[in-house]
DNA sequence: TCCGTGACGCGAT
DNA sequence: GATCGCGCCACGG
């Protein structure tokens, strides 16, 4: 059996089970890990799990970089993805949930795959966006992500409900990647000691690369051979993730530019957060983003007054960070 | 492209 | 504390 699990920031876990013939035999959502655990315990020892979340914090193997080798390799291939920090405490809430899930699976006898012999009874880390690219051999193009994912799974996965949402599709994609892994049709990116990201081997007969030619991609191990850069025009951008994070800061709480940068996946991008907030005109509670010393932002002009009205405590002209700091997206 | 800019963070002074 | 220098990274000319 092949179990894919999608870990989402705010929507809990999505789980999809595929049988040997890649037919969906179970598709469900679980609010939290406590809800998920009894379900996980029912799977036989030969089950293979695939989790859409980083398996371990970065080991800092890249000089001057925080994130992992796997993430670096994929970015060189034009695949944008999250940045995993060096420590678990610096990670956003959804990543911490993911780490806890890997630990739980390990304690149940499904250790993380870290190179060597592929096979059942393991847990692999996957990244559905990468798997979709591998499966189709194309970048997303102009269709929505939902349509792109649905199209990529149509042939290889049987019995997927038409109403399946993005999280469910990603869980199914993860399970399908586990199937590829066990059946010898896979590649892995990253450093074996620091966490490998597994994807279906590109251009298999399951892939059915529809759009041959211009959009054809080469995704292999040869990351030094400078493969053609591929940029998805509608991928989740840093600016979008910043907007998402800032929109979630509750009234009466504040976050620093650095906090927002971390939770948007770029721990060193604090300054860029300022650039984004200045440049892009989102409907956002800008006044709740303060600098690392607690100084309210220059815009809106009445930021401090707004914060006081929300009950935020001040120490002189600066926010008392220890009393009012928000601790990240659920 | 490349390069200057800035609603940042951090360690040094 | 305040300020400075430097690294960081998205934007825009």
């Amino acid at each position: 059996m092949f179990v894919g699990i999608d870990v989402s920031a705010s929507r809990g876990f999505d789980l999809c089970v595929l049988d040997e013939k890649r037919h969906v035999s179970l598709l469900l959502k679980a609010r939290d890990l406590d809800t998920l655990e009894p379900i996980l315990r029912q799977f036989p020892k030969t089950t293979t799990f695939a989790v859409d979340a980083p398996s371990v914090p970065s080991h800092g193997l890249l000089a001057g970089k925080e994130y992992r080798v796997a993430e670096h390799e994929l970015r060189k291939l034009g695949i944008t993805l999250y940045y995993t920090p060096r420590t678990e405490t610096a990670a956003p809430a959804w990543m911490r949930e993911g780490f806890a899930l890997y630990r739980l699976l390990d304690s149940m006898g499904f250790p993380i795959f870290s190179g060597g012999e592929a096979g059942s009874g393991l847990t692999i880390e996957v990244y559905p966006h990468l798997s979709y690219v591998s499966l189709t051999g194309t970048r997303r193009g102009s269709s929505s992500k939902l349509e792109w994912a649905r199209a990529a799974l149509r042939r290889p996965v049987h019995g997927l409900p038409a109403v399946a949402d993005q999280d469910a599709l990603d869980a199914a994609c993860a399970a399908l990647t586990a199937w590829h892994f066990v059946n010898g049709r896979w590649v892995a990116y990253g450093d074996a000691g620091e966490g490998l990201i597994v994807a279906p081997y590109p251009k298999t007969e399951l892939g059915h690369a529809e759009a041959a030619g211009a959009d054809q991609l080469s995704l292999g191990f040869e990351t030094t051979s400078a493969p053609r850069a591929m940029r998805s025009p509608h991928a989740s951008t840093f600016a979008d993730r910043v907007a998402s994070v800032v929109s979630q800061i509750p009234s009466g709480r504040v976050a620093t530019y650095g906090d927002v940068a971390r939770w948007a996946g770029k721990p060193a991008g604090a300054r860029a957060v300022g650039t984004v907030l200045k440049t892009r005109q989102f409907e956002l509670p800008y006044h709740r983003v303060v600098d690392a010393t607690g100084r309210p932002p220059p815009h809106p002009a009445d930021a401090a007054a707004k914060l006081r009205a929300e009950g935020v405590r001040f120490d002189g002209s600066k926010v008392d960070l220890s009393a009012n700091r928000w601790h990240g997206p659920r």
Side-chain angles (χ1 to χ4, degrees), chain A residues 110-241:
Chain A
F110 301 95
I112 300 172
F113 171 68
S114 57
E117 204 65 25
S120 57
L122 295 169
T123 299
I124 58 173
E125 174 183 341
V126 301
Y127 184 56
H129 179 97
L130 167 65
S131 289
Y132 295 132
V133 171
S134 258
L135 290 167
T136 62
T138 66
R139 59 182 170 180
R140 186 174 57 175
S142 57
S143 61
S144 74
K145 185 175 183 200
L146 195 66
E147 289 165 354
W148 184 54
R150 201 166 272 149
L153 298 177
R154 186 164 295 133
R155 290 168 189 274
V157 174
H158 313 300
L160 203 52
V163 295
D165 60 17
Q166 186 71 59
D167 292 334
L169 293 177
D170 287 350
C173 179
L176 175 62
T177 304
W179 181 89
H180 278 257
F181 177 71
V182 170
N183 287 275
R185 302 163 175 278
W186 58 281
V187 294
Y189 302 86
D191 180 275
E194 195 199 33
L196 294 167
I197 297 180
V198 175
Y201 197 90
K203 299 183 210 167
T204 64
E205 73 266 29
L206 289 175
H208 282 288
E210 283 116 355
D215 282 340
Q216 202 72 49
L217 296 171
S218 166
L219 286 177
F221 288 107
E222 318 77 25
T223 54
T224 54
S225 64
R228 239 187 52 232
M230 174 202 60
R231 209 182 293 273
S232 174
H234 302 291
S236 163
T237 64
F238 180 64
D240 292 332
R241 298 196 300 276

Side-chain angles (χ1 to χ4, degrees), chain A residues 242-260 263 273 277 283-292 294-300 302-312 314 319 321 324-327:
Chain A
V242 165
S244 168
V245 170
V246 174
S247 72
Q248 295 175 64
I249 306 173
S251 173
R253 311 292 289 281
V254 297
T256 69
Y257 291 92
D259 290 338
V260 174
W263 296 323
V273 169
L277 294 188
E283 291 286 318
L284 296 176
Y286 298 98
H287 60 285
R288 296 176 191 148
V289 183
V290 303
D291 77 12
R295 190 194 322 279
H299 286 84
D302 59 345
K306 280 196 157 102
L307 291 171
R308 287 179 198 278
E310 292 177 358
V312 170
F314 276 69
V319 169
L321 282 176
N324 303 287
R325 197 163 186 164
W326 181 51
H327 296 296

Side-chain angles (χ1 to χ4, degrees), chain A residues 13-24:
Chain A
F13 299 91
D14 277 67
L15 179 144
C16 176
V17 182
L18 292 184
D19 63 20
E20 306 293 330
K21 296 188 182 315
R22 283 168 277 123
H23 197 103
V24 176

Side-chain angles (χ1 to χ4, degrees), chain A residues 6-69:
Chain A
D6 177 77
V7 182
S8 139
S10 53
R11 302 174 300 280
F13 299 91
D14 277 67
L15 179 144
C16 176
V17 182
L18 292 184
D19 63 20
E20 306 293 330
K21 296 188 182 315
R22 283 168 277 123
H23 197 103
V24 176
S25 57
L26 181 63
L27 194 59
L28 60 83
K29 293 179 185 294
R31 188 201 324 278
D32 52 34
L33 210 48
D34 289 343
T35 316
L36 191 60
E37 178 171 354
I39 300 165
L40 296 180
R41 293 201 179 278
Q42 295 176 26
F43 291 101
K45 281 192 137 44
T46 54
T47 303
T48 302
F49 288 89
V51 177
D52 173 18
S55 53
V56 290
S58 168
H59 292 194
L61 301 174
L62 293 165
K65 305 289 186 188
E66 280 278 298
Y67 48 77
R68 298 182 302 165
V69 174

